[in-house]
Amino acid sequence: MPESANARVNVVFVCLGNICRSPTAEGVFRAVVERHGLDRRIGIDSAGTGAYHVGEPADQRAQAAARRRGFDLSAIRARKATKGDFKRFDYVLAMDRQNHAALSRICPPGEEHRLSLFLDYAPQLGQRDVPDPYYGAGDGFELVLDLIEAASEGLLADIRENHF
Ligand code: 4NP
């Protein structure tokens, strides 16, 4: 049996504020993982590269949009990403290229393989960034959910292929 067969795989989603995109990804991916009965095998968290909203719950618009699709974000509180996240998490998933660049700057040498763009797990989307919905119209949150739901399936497939 490979050494990793019983290991827990840890995943963190990272956006700018940790109040819109990455908590949405945390809630959606948690539901997908639970649906597949893998919640004891996969740890899930989220963080922001900025500290503006540390300690706050997810944006009310993000929570409402998620709730309409059956995802509960109410327990999530914002925190800032740290270089220690590259030790704790096997997958450090940036929600866009701007946050990927910010994470690259705090990534310890030798840990770069942990960092990727979340939407690269859904190449069929033809889109690499989850657009920031914070300042936009309300339907930005629906697009965020659509993209995240698609990439969550691809991410789970990658974890199954490479770890279980
Ligand atoms: P998020 O959205 O990165 O998806 O959480 C944002 C939330 C807050 C801000 C920017 C983006 N802000 O500038 O305060």
Side-chain angles (χ1 to χ4, degrees):
M1 193 168 18
E3 194 190 339
S4 64
N6 291 311
R8 198 171 155 90
V9 174
N10 292 302
V11 173
V12 62
F13 299 97
V14 185
C15 61
L16 180 57
N18 192 207
I19 56 168
C20 296
R21 292 165 292 177
S22 62
T24 300
E26 179 182 343
V28 169
F29 193 59
R30 192 179 302 287
V32 169
V33 163
E34 282 173 8
R35 189 175 354 110
H36 286 83
L38 289 168
D39 36 312
R40 286 156 55 128
R41 308 285 309 275
I42 302 177
I44 305 165
D45 196 10
S46 64
T49 57
Y52 323 102
H53 298 280
V54 166
E56 294 179 18
D59 185 285
Q60 288 304 320
R61 298 165 296 172
Q63 288 204 50
R67 201 178 306 117
R68 286 194 292 273
R69 296 195 194 190
F71 305 113
D72 179 11
L73 311 184
S74 63
I76 299 172
R77 295 294 177 273
R79 72 170 181 89
K80 193 171 191 292
T82 69
K83 64 178 189 298
D85 287 330
F86 287 92
K87 294 267 184 265
R88 285 174 58 204
F89 295 97
D90 306 286
Y91 289 77
V92 179
L93 297 158
M95 304 304 288
D96 64 18
R97 281 169 284 192
Q98 180 193 330
N99 286 296
H100 186 283
L103 288 164
S104 292
R105 291 192 285 274
I106 63 166
C107 180
E111 306 296 347
E112 296 83 0
H113 62 282
R114 298 173 191 266
L115 176 59
S116 57
L117 274 171
F118 181 39
L119 291 194
D120 284 354
Y121 290 95
Q124 76 277 10
L125 295 172
Q127 184 169 340
R128 303 192 77 200
D129 295 334
V130 180
D132 183 350
Y134 188 68
Y135 294 108
D139 59 359
F141 289 87
E142 297 300 327
L143 175 62
V144 165
L145 279 159
D146 291 343
L147 297 171
I148 286 171
E149 289 196 81
S152 290
E153 299 298 333
L155 174 61
L156 185 60
D158 187 274
I159 292 173
R160 280 188 188 279
E161 198 173 308
N162 290 297
H163 297 274
F164 299 157

